[in-house]
Amino acid sequence: MDASDPDWTPGDDYVLTVNNVADSYGNVIAPGSQVAVAWGQTTSLVASNAVWDFHNSAIFEPEVFDEDWFACDFVPSFWWAQGQGIFYGGVLANNPCLPLGTLWTQTGYQPEPALYRTTFQWPAHWPSSGTLRIATAYDDGLVLYLDGREIYRTNAGVAGSLVGLATKAASTLSVCVTNLAIASTNLQSGVHCLAAAVLQANTPGDADSVFAFRMDGLAYLSPALPEQAPPVLSLTPIGANSARLSWTGGGYALESATNLSLGSASYLLGPWQQVTNMSNPYTNNLSDPARFFRLKK
């Protein structure tokens, strides 16, 4: 499809009707099958100035690392605070990620991991499968969680390992990335929770911390297929030796059988099989044995 074609308006509702098309195995797709055209739509889920809860008080509450601080039902204690924009601590020479805004919330510096939590809304009319498009800055390592499940880790040790009081980044890094994409298939409509751990490297003299984050959602939306009336299968004689079968409605496969007496003994393939070279209309030669026909969705 060429989106520049004047007969197409990107974002409008379109339905393709398929005829005389076979799949990769040579099976003919049911005549008149309809396929809704899906268009990609993007929305902001977490703005770069979104409010986050953050924990940078490991010296006062080290036991937080023994709790499910990344779970949606976690209740932050007194030692959690709130901020927004680019979170930073220690001595920074300059803004590490201009696309995400300015230095905003000063957190102070600690050698232990700094923890962050926020929520976002997945649109009600969107499918559960989509792509999270992320721009983020961190120093030195990062672990991301969606609804209590780890979805991304970089410079932060073995995937799936717990972030503890003594967990360190693998090396000293200051990163600004704007094109991270993570596919997800469980984004039900409603509120979701997002959590992050920012790790520090075990490097003498490295005493700065940065975290910034923005996330958009991308999903492909298609219109509902139009309702169809129940199909009607018709047979018209063609001369003395053949007959033409045709039917109303799309997406129905024409099947035939020569023996209807096998009952349950015919399971799984049964006496019914799709006709070869299926089309609508379909021409059948009148030769022995007798054949029965039906439509199947």
Side-chain angles (χ1 to χ4, degrees), residues 139-140 155 169-174 201-203 206:
D139 184 330
D140 297 297
N155 197 35
S171 60
T172 300
L173 288 177
S174 181
N202 192 16
T203 304
D206 179 46

Side-chain angles (χ1 to χ4, degrees), residues 29-115:
I29 298 174
S33 292
Q34 294 185 319
V35 181
V37 175
W39 300 93
Q41 294 191 19
T42 302
T43 191
S44 174
L45 299 176
V46 180
S48 59
N49 63 346
V51 174
W52 292 71
D53 294 328
F54 71 93
H55 189 283
N56 210 40
S57 304
I59 189 172
F60 300 110
E61 193 185 29
E63 61 271 18
V64 69
F65 294 97
D66 298 324
E67 303 173 354
D68 292 335
W69 61 269
F70 46 81
C72 292
D73 58 357
F74 176 77
V75 180
S77 70
F78 168 82
W79 295 108
W80 288 75
Q82 283 192 336
Q84 60 188 133
I86 297 182
F87 297 80
Y88 68 102
V91 179
L92 294 178
N94 49 48
N95 186 341
C97 196
L98 289 174
L100 291 177
T102 60
L103 300 179
W104 198 324
T105 301
Q106 188 168 3
T107 63
Y109 172 80
Q110 68 175 23
E112 297 82 10
L115 311 178

Side-chain angles (χ1 to χ4, degrees), residues 18-41:
V18 180
N19 285 295
N20 302 318
V21 176
D23 62 20
S24 59
Y25 296 97
N27 302 307
V28 176
I29 298 174
S33 292
Q34 294 185 319
V35 181
V37 175
W39 300 93
Q41 294 191 19

